[in-house]
Amino acid sequence: MTEHKSLRAFAAENPALILVLGICPLYASTVDVRAAFAMGCLVLAALLVSGLIMALLKRCIPQQFTLPAAFLVCAGVVSVFELLFHAWFPDIYKILGVYVSALSVNLLLVAAAADSCEQKAEKAIGQALLLGFIFLASLLAVAVIREVFGNASFAGIEIPSLKDYRINVLLQPGGALLIGAFLAAALNAVAAKALSSDSFSGWFGSSFPNAEKEEESES
Amino acid sequence: MEVKNNGLTKGLLTLVLIVAVFFCILFGINSYTAPIIEWNDNAALLAPLFKLLPDAPGFELLYDYTVPDNSSLANIPSTVRYIHAIAENGGYAVQLSTTEGFTGDPIDLSFAVDPDGKILNAQVDAYADTKDMGVDDYPLTYIGQDSALSDVSIVAGVTYSSSAFKRAIADGFLALTENGLVAEGYKDPVQALTEVLPLVFPGIANNAGVVQAEETQPTGALLSSAMKSTIDTGMAYFAGEGDDLYLITVNAFGVVKAYDTKGRDITDSAPAEALEQAKADAEASAADFLKKDTRAFKKLTGDDMELTELSLNTFNSVTGAYKLLSGGNTYYGFTSRTFGFGDMAIVTRYVLDENGAIVKMNADELILEKDYFSNYTLDEASYKEGFQGLTESTFTGDETLITGATMTSNAVKSAVRDIFEAFHDLKENGGI
């Protein structure tokens, strides 16, 4: 069941490719593997910190203020990371550009932060790590395909044998959507084989892998 | 209701607290990251300077050509882009860009000087010209030089680009010395006069500003050296001794002028005997173009043409000025000799009416680069017709353009500008 939970989290409920949440960085930063890795790490760090803060503040935030608080916390956390990123990694920051600031209103971050308000700190951290790594993996998957086949390079290192076979459309936003669609289809195929059909009821409108809720439903 | 109000108050207070805490955190982090970000933002600008001086602790911007009013420095030549002070060193680094090279594409360069005004290092940052002047080695010949640049020479075969580089360095020094940042280097009189010569006698220098002259032995005792223009536009002499050395120029019409090392006209105060000797020497070695010009202008105006020689006070490429009477009309003929491809002479002739409009134009030979452009064709008749009716106010320079023959185009452009200047000179001095 634990294996199914992880697989379900990655395949059937992949926030970037299946649930299509917070996909701006997915398509904006995946032209280069280095930029995708940087963006993924940034999202992971922002998820962790904002999730932890919201979990620690859960007693102070009435339910009707969860979303505004989540927005404020996400905006603050992303701003802090943005300043540090700009100072320490100026080259990558240049590549990512405005999409770093756009993370402040990223649906994935805000939703995860809001969700963390209803959980214990440990669970919030666990959820953030899981989401963050899944998002990072998704970004890297798209970035590798786009850069290798679109630009005949990997992390800035040229691949001479592919130089004449570049598929330029993969470097365009449309190409990113295309890759995302194919990966989503592949994930669906994997999930369909490995999981029962009942497990797919959580597809549309599903919240994130929430261990407490699942345990309640199982019992 | 009370519970609800308490919840509302608590929620609002929490939000305010979140904002306040993040404000303080961001304020603190910004204090730490702002200098780093500013340094990073300047990194692209400073990268060439750190390549120039890898051990420099830092640079402080003194002048930015995009916002010149923000600087306290004044009289900055247009080739200067940025001036930085070198931190803890007292020296300066200058970044420049010139388009006076062979192709006209920008040549970006930078150099650094110590507090005494001696060049620490120089480099080319961007070079697009087709002929390599030795972009890695040539700038190193400037190390140790001061603003006089006395021991720096031009690269043979790449004179346009290397002299553009040298002039740019001179511009950088001018910006520094004019603003009192470094002291001016000592320039010996010979070097100073050599630099003054193309400025006061443009007809003896090519479009790159490099003097094209052969050294000859002057006949006058007061004259220490003589230079004869390779295309017979006139002569130049050095006279005097030591720090009192001065320049005498004689144009193709025998008009004499004298200049000091600063380029000031000292004709009235220079020794008359020296001026007479220069004039006599120039007349003795001057080429006689009268017969050739007469034949050429008769072809342009008619066999009944009567020609009267005129004299000009200009020191440009015009070597012949004539009043032409033909068919009851009065015209003015000018012969110009300018530097074309390979600094060879391009001889062009122009007939102007009494209002200064070009009536006819002719050239001995326009395309000197035939060996290099074997498939080249020019409809010369049509090209020459394009000059008809042009006046000084309507001439833009585009009329001289010959595709693929930049040197010739520039030579003809200079010639046309010079003949208009010559026409002005005639009008001012009663020749018209």
Side-chain angles (χ1 to χ4, degrees), chain B residues 13 36 80 126 132 144 149 157 161 210 224 229 270 283 295 315 321 399:
Chain B
L13 275 173
I36 302 173
V80 175
D132 183 13
L149 298 177
S161 299
V210 179
S224 54
S229 164
E283 275 176 16
R295 272 200 306 273
F315 281 76
E399 300 87 349

mmCIF file with all atom_site columns, all heavy atoms in Angstrom, chain B residues 13 36 80 126 132 144 149 157 161 210 224 229 270 283 295 315 321 399:
data_model
loop_
_atom_site.group_PDB
_atom_site.id
_atom_site.type_symbol
_atom_site.label_atom_id
_atom_site.label_alt_id
_atom_site.label_comp_id
_atom_site.label_asym_id
_atom_site.label_entity_id
_atom_site.label_seq_id
_atom_site.pdbx_PDB_ins_code
_atom_site.Cartn_x
_atom_site.Cartn_y
_atom_site.Cartn_z
_atom_site.occupancy
_atom_site.B_iso_or_equiv
_atom_site.pdbx_formal_charge
_atom_site.auth_seq_id
_atom_site.auth_comp_id
_atom_site.auth_asym_id
_atom_site.auth_atom_id
_atom_site.pdbx_PDB_model_num
ATOM 1   N N   . LEU B 1 13  ? -5.095 40.103 13.022  1.00 0.00 ? 13  LEU B N   1
ATOM 2   C CA  . LEU B 1 13  ? -3.823 40.323 13.735  1.00 0.00 ? 13  LEU B CA  1
ATOM 3   C C   . LEU B 1 13  ? -2.743 39.374 13.223  1.00 0.00 ? 13  LEU B C   1
ATOM 4   O O   . LEU B 1 13  ? -1.581 39.768 13.076  1.00 0.00 ? 13  LEU B O   1
ATOM 5   C CB  . LEU B 1 13  ? -4.031 40.094 15.240  1.00 0.00 ? 13  LEU B CB  1
ATOM 6   C CG  . LEU B 1 13  ? -4.561 41.303 16.013  1.00 0.00 ? 13  LEU B CG  1
ATOM 7   C CD1 . LEU B 1 13  ? -4.884 40.918 17.453  1.00 0.00 ? 13  LEU B CD1 1
ATOM 8   C CD2 . LEU B 1 13  ? -3.562 42.458 15.999  1.00 0.00 ? 13  LEU B CD2 1
ATOM 9   N N   . ILE B 1 36  ? 25.595 42.742 -3.150  1.00 0.00 ? 36  ILE B N   1
ATOM 10  C CA  . ILE B 1 36  ? 26.016 41.605 -3.978  1.00 0.00 ? 36  ILE B CA  1
ATOM 11  C C   . ILE B 1 36  ? 25.298 41.665 -5.322  1.00 0.00 ? 36  ILE B C   1
ATOM 12  O O   . ILE B 1 36  ? 25.897 41.447 -6.380  1.00 0.00 ? 36  ILE B O   1
ATOM 13  C CB  . ILE B 1 36  ? 25.701 40.260 -3.284  1.00 0.00 ? 36  ILE B CB  1
ATOM 14  C CG1 . ILE B 1 36  ? 26.408 40.195 -1.925  1.00 0.00 ? 36  ILE B CG1 1
ATOM 15  C CG2 . ILE B 1 36  ? 26.123 39.087 -4.157  1.00 0.00 ? 36  ILE B CG2 1
ATOM 16  C CD1 . ILE B 1 36  ? 26.020 38.983 -1.105  1.00 0.00 ? 36  ILE B CD1 1
ATOM 17  N N   . VAL B 1 80  ? 34.774 57.478 -25.939 1.00 0.00 ? 80  VAL B N   1
ATOM 18  C CA  . VAL B 1 80  ? 34.878 56.974 -24.559 1.00 0.00 ? 80  VAL B CA  1
ATOM 19  C C   . VAL B 1 80  ? 33.519 56.504 -24.093 1.00 0.00 ? 80  VAL B C   1
ATOM 20  O O   . VAL B 1 80  ? 32.537 57.245 -24.156 1.00 0.00 ? 80  VAL B O   1
ATOM 21  C CB  . VAL B 1 80  ? 35.412 58.072 -23.611 1.00 0.00 ? 80  VAL B CB  1
ATOM 22  C CG1 . VAL B 1 80  ? 35.398 57.595 -22.174 1.00 0.00 ? 80  VAL B CG1 1
ATOM 23  C CG2 . VAL B 1 80  ? 36.811 58.491 -24.015 1.00 0.00 ? 80  VAL B CG2 1
ATOM 24  N N   . ALA B 1 126 ? 36.492 43.780 -28.600 1.00 0.00 ? 126 ALA B N   1
ATOM 25  C CA  . ALA B 1 126 ? 35.702 43.294 -29.738 1.00 0.00 ? 126 ALA B CA  1
ATOM 26  C C   . ALA B 1 126 ? 36.325 43.859 -31.004 1.00 0.00 ? 126 ALA B C   1
ATOM 27  O O   . ALA B 1 126 ? 36.628 45.047 -31.074 1.00 0.00 ? 126 ALA B O   1
ATOM 28  C CB  . ALA B 1 126 ? 34.245 43.721 -29.632 1.00 0.00 ? 126 ALA B CB  1
ATOM 29  N N   . ASP B 1 132 ? 43.531 41.231 -39.458 1.00 0.00 ? 132 ASP B N   1
ATOM 30  C CA  . ASP B 1 132 ? 43.904 41.178 -38.051 1.00 0.00 ? 132 ASP B CA  1
ATOM 31  C C   . ASP B 1 132 ? 45.124 42.063 -37.817 1.00 0.00 ? 132 ASP B C   1
ATOM 32  O O   . ASP B 1 132 ? 46.169 41.857 -38.428 1.00 0.00 ? 132 ASP B O   1
ATOM 33  C CB  . ASP B 1 132 ? 44.215 39.728 -37.664 1.00 0.00 ? 132 ASP B CB  1
ATOM 34  C CG  . ASP B 1 132 ? 44.542 39.594 -36.187 1.00 0.00 ? 132 ASP B CG  1
ATOM 35  O OD1 . ASP B 1 132 ? 44.306 40.539 -35.424 1.00 0.00 ? 132 ASP B OD1 1
ATOM 36  O OD2 . ASP B 1 132 ? 45.042 38.522 -35.813 1.00 0.00 ? 132 ASP B OD2 1
ATOM 37  N N   . GLY B 1 144 ? 53.236 50.879 -20.659 1.00 0.00 ? 144 GLY B N   1
ATOM 38  C CA  . GLY B 1 144 ? 54.320 51.770 -20.253 1.00 0.00 ? 144 GLY B CA  1
ATOM 39  C C   . GLY B 1 144 ? 54.262 53.132 -20.917 1.00 0.00 ? 144 GLY B C   1
ATOM 40  O O   . GLY B 1 144 ? 54.969 54.060 -20.501 1.00 0.00 ? 144 GLY B O   1
ATOM 41  N N   . LEU B 1 149 ? 52.140 58.787 -26.211 1.00 0.00 ? 149 LEU B N   1
ATOM 42  C CA  . LEU B 1 149 ? 52.150 57.612 -27.115 1.00 0.00 ? 149 LEU B CA  1
ATOM 43  C C   . LEU B 1 149 ? 53.293 57.723 -28.128 1.00 0.00 ? 149 LEU B C   1
ATOM 44  O O   . LEU B 1 149 ? 53.127 57.444 -29.319 1.00 0.00 ? 149 LEU B O   1
ATOM 45  C CB  . LEU B 1 149 ? 50.805 57.490 -27.844 1.00 0.00 ? 149 LEU B CB  1
ATOM 46  C CG  . LEU B 1 149 ? 49.571 57.279 -26.960 1.00 0.00 ? 149 LEU B CG  1
ATOM 47  C CD1 . LEU B 1 149 ? 48.299 57.258 -27.809 1.00 0.00 ? 149 LEU B CD1 1
ATOM 48  C CD2 . LEU B 1 149 ? 49.685 55.994 -26.168 1.00 0.00 ? 149 LEU B CD2 1
ATOM 49  N N   . GLY B 1 157 ? 50.073 47.604 -43.184 1.00 0.00 ? 157 GLY B N   1
ATOM 50  C CA  . GLY B 1 157 ? 49.094 46.757 -43.849 1.00 0.00 ? 157 GLY B CA  1
ATOM 51  C C   . GLY B 1 157 ? 47.729 46.768 -43.178 1.00 0.00 ? 157 GLY B C   1
ATOM 52  O O   . GLY B 1 157 ? 46.745 46.321 -43.755 1.00 0.00 ? 157 GLY B O   1
ATOM 53  N N   . SER B 1 161 ? 42.805 50.247 -39.069 1.00 0.00 ? 161 SER B N   1
ATOM 54  C CA  . SER B 1 161 ? 42.362 49.722 -37.778 1.00 0.00 ? 161 SER B CA  1
ATOM 55  C C   . SER B 1 161 ? 43.345 50.048 -36.667 1.00 0.00 ? 161 SER B C   1
ATOM 56  O O   . SER B 1 161 ? 42.950 50.417 -35.563 1.00 0.00 ? 161 SER B O   1
ATOM 57  C CB  . SER B 1 161 ? 42.155 48.208 -37.871 1.00 0.00 ? 161 SER B CB  1
ATOM 58  O OG  . SER B 1 161 ? 41.164 47.921 -38.833 1.00 0.00 ? 161 SER B OG  1
ATOM 59  N N   . VAL B 1 210 ? 46.246 59.147 -41.446 1.00 0.00 ? 210 VAL B N   1
ATOM 60  C CA  . VAL B 1 210 ? 47.677 58.823 -41.459 1.00 0.00 ? 210 VAL B CA  1
ATOM 61  C C   . VAL B 1 210 ? 48.340 59.582 -42.603 1.00 0.00 ? 210 VAL B C   1
ATOM 62  O O   . VAL B 1 210 ? 47.890 59.515 -43.744 1.00 0.00 ? 210 VAL B O   1
ATOM 63  C CB  . VAL B 1 210 ? 47.889 57.308 -41.643 1.00 0.00 ? 210 VAL B CB  1
ATOM 64  C CG1 . VAL B 1 210 ? 49.368 56.979 -41.688 1.00 0.00 ? 210 VAL B CG1 1
ATOM 65  C CG2 . VAL B 1 210 ? 47.198 56.542 -40.523 1.00 0.00 ? 210 VAL B CG2 1
ATOM 66  N N   . SER B 1 224 ? 64.586 71.899 -41.402 1.00 0.00 ? 224 SER B N   1
ATOM 67  C CA  . SER B 1 224 ? 65.307 70.712 -40.927 1.00 0.00 ? 224 SER B CA  1
ATOM 68  C C   . SER B 1 224 ? 64.857 69.435 -41.634 1.00 0.00 ? 224 SER B C   1
ATOM 69  O O   . SER B 1 224 ? 65.617 68.487 -41.760 1.00 0.00 ? 224 SER B O   1
ATOM 70  C CB  . SER B 1 224 ? 65.156 70.565 -39.420 1.00 0.00 ? 224 SER B CB  1
ATOM 71  O OG  . SER B 1 224 ? 63.785 70.579 -39.059 1.00 0.00 ? 224 SER B OG  1
ATOM 72  N N   . SER B 1 229 ? 53.905 65.117 -50.238 1.00 0.00 ? 229 SER B N   1
ATOM 73  C CA  . SER B 1 229 ? 52.708 64.286 -50.329 1.00 0.00 ? 229 SER B CA  1
ATOM 74  C C   . SER B 1 229 ? 52.869 63.272 -51.458 1.00 0.00 ? 229 SER B C   1
ATOM 75  O O   . SER B 1 229 ? 53.333 63.608 -52.553 1.00 0.00 ? 229 SER B O   1
ATOM 76  C CB  . SER B 1 229 ? 51.481 65.169 -50.610 1.00 0.00 ? 229 SER B CB  1
ATOM 77  O OG  . SER B 1 229 ? 50.401 64.381 -51.056 1.00 0.00 ? 229 SER B OG  1
ATOM 78  N N   . ALA B 1 270 ? 56.007 83.657 -37.622 1.00 0.00 ? 270 ALA B N   1
ATOM 79  C CA  . ALA B 1 270 ? 57.132 82.772 -38.002 1.00 0.00 ? 270 ALA B CA  1
ATOM 80  C C   . ALA B 1 270 ? 58.135 83.555 -38.848 1.00 0.00 ? 270 ALA B C   1
ATOM 81  O O   . ALA B 1 270 ? 57.766 84.504 -39.544 1.00 0.00 ? 270 ALA B O   1
ATOM 82  C CB  . ALA B 1 270 ? 56.606 81.579 -38.787 1.00 0.00 ? 270 ALA B CB  1
ATOM 83  N N   . GLU B 1 283 ? 57.862 74.898 -54.646 1.00 0.00 ? 283 GLU B N   1
ATOM 84  C CA  . GLU B 1 283 ? 57.653 75.206 -56.064 1.00 0.00 ? 283 GLU B CA  1
ATOM 85  C C   . GLU B 1 283 ? 58.587 74.409 -56.934 1.00 0.00 ? 283 GLU B C   1
ATOM 86  O O   . GLU B 1 283 ? 58.207 73.946 -58.016 1.00 0.00 ? 283 GLU B O   1
ATOM 87  C CB  . GLU B 1 283 ? 57.878 76.717 -56.305 1.00 0.00 ? 283 GLU B CB  1
ATOM 88  C CG  . GLU B 1 283 ? 56.636 77.542 -56.022 1.00 0.00 ? 283 GLU B CG  1
ATOM 89  C CD  . GLU B 1 283 ? 56.877 79.035 -56.158 1.00 0.00 ? 283 GLU B CD  1
ATOM 90  O OE1 . GLU B 1 283 ? 57.907 79.428 -56.763 1.00 0.00 ? 283 GLU B OE1 1
ATOM 91  O OE2 . GLU B 1 283 ? 56.053 79.797 -55.652 1.00 0.00 ? 283 GLU B OE2 1
ATOM 92  N N   . ARG B 1 295 ? 43.502 69.862 -70.735 1.00 0.00 ? 295 ARG B N   1
ATOM 93  C CA  . ARG B 1 295 ? 42.932 68.874 -71.669 1.00 0.00 ? 295 ARG B CA  1
ATOM 94  C C   . ARG B 1 295 ? 41.650 68.285 -71.098 1.00 0.00 ? 295 ARG B C   1
ATOM 95  O O   . ARG B 1 295 ? 40.637 68.152 -71.773 1.00 0.00 ? 295 ARG B O   1
ATOM 96  C CB  . ARG B 1 295 ? 43.937 67.745 -71.911 1.00 0.00 ? 295 ARG B CB  1
ATOM 97  C CG  . ARG B 1 295 ? 44.912 67.993 -73.041 1.00 0.00 ? 295 ARG B CG  1
ATOM 98  C CD  . ARG B 1 295 ? 45.516 66.673 -73.529 1.00 0.00 ? 295 ARG B CD  1
ATOM 99  N NE  . ARG B 1 295 ? 46.111 65.897 -72.448 1.00 0.00 ? 295 ARG B NE  1
ATOM 100 C CZ  . ARG B 1 295 ? 47.361 66.038 -72.027 1.00 0.00 ? 295 ARG B CZ  1
ATOM 101 N NH1 . ARG B 1 295 ? 48.147 66.948 -72.543 1.00 0.00 ? 295 ARG B NH1 1
ATOM 102 N NH2 . ARG B 1 295 ? 47.818 65.273 -71.045 1.00 0.00 ? 295 ARG B NH2 1
ATOM 103 N N   . PHE B 1 315 ? 43.879 73.711 -47.683 1.00 0.00 ? 315 PHE B N   1
ATOM 104 C CA  . PHE B 1 315 ? 44.935 72.693 -47.571 1.00 0.00 ? 315 PHE B CA  1
ATOM 105 C C   . PHE B 1 315 ? 44.308 71.298 -47.608 1.00 0.00 ? 315 PHE B C   1
ATOM 106 O O   . PHE B 1 315 ? 44.628 70.419 -46.807 1.00 0.00 ? 315 PHE B O   1
ATOM 107 C CB  . PHE B 1 315 ? 45.731 72.892 -46.283 1.00 0.00 ? 315 PHE B CB  1
ATOM 108 C CG  . PHE B 1 315 ? 46.739 73.988 -46.385 1.00 0.00 ? 315 PHE B CG  1
ATOM 109 C CD1 . PHE B 1 315 ? 46.348 75.313 -46.331 1.00 0.00 ? 315 PHE B CD1 1
ATOM 110 C CD2 . PHE B 1 315 ? 48.079 73.707 -46.566 1.00 0.00 ? 315 PHE B CD2 1
ATOM 111 C CE1 . PHE B 1 315 ? 47.279 76.342 -46.457 1.00 0.00 ? 315 PHE B CE1 1
ATOM 112 C CE2 . PHE B 1 315 ? 49.031 74.724 -46.671 1.00 0.00 ? 315 PHE B CE2 1
ATOM 113 C CZ  . PHE B 1 315 ? 48.623 76.040 -46.632 1.00 0.00 ? 315 PHE B CZ  1
ATOM 114 N N   . ALA B 1 321 ? 42.589 74.788 -59.428 1.00 0.00 ? 321 ALA B N   1
ATOM 115 C CA  . ALA B 1 321 ? 41.372 75.607 -59.421 1.00 0.00 ? 321 ALA B CA  1
ATOM 116 C C   . ALA B 1 321 ? 41.443 76.537 -60.612 1.00 0.00 ? 321 ALA B C   1
ATOM 117 O O   . ALA B 1 321 ? 42.468 77.212 -60.816 1.00 0.00 ? 321 ALA B O   1
ATOM 118 C CB  . ALA B 1 321 ? 41.270 76.395 -58.116 1.00 0.00 ? 321 ALA B CB  1
ATOM 119 N N   . GLU B 1 399 ? 25.595 59.947 -52.869 1.00 0.00 ? 399 GLU B N   1
ATOM 120 C CA  . GLU B 1 399 ? 25.756 59.973 -54.333 1.00 0.00 ? 399 GLU B CA  1
ATOM 121 C C   . GLU B 1 399 ? 27.082 59.377 -54.772 1.00 0.00 ? 399 GLU B C   1
ATOM 122 O O   . GLU B 1 399 ? 27.253 58.990 -55.924 1.00 0.00 ? 399 GLU B O   1
ATOM 123 C CB  . GLU B 1 399 ? 25.669 61.435 -54.839 1.00 0.00 ? 399 GLU B CB  1
ATOM 124 C CG  . GLU B 1 399 ? 24.348 62.124 -54.530 1.00 0.00 ? 399 GLU B CG  1
ATOM 125 C CD  . GLU B 1 399 ? 24.333 62.778 -53.158 1.00 0.00 ? 399 GLU B CD  1
ATOM 126 O OE1 . GLU B 1 399 ? 25.276 62.510 -52.369 1.00 0.00 ? 399 GLU B OE1 1
ATOM 127 O OE2 . GLU B 1 399 ? 23.408 63.546 -52.854 1.00 0.00 ? 399 GLU B OE2 1
#
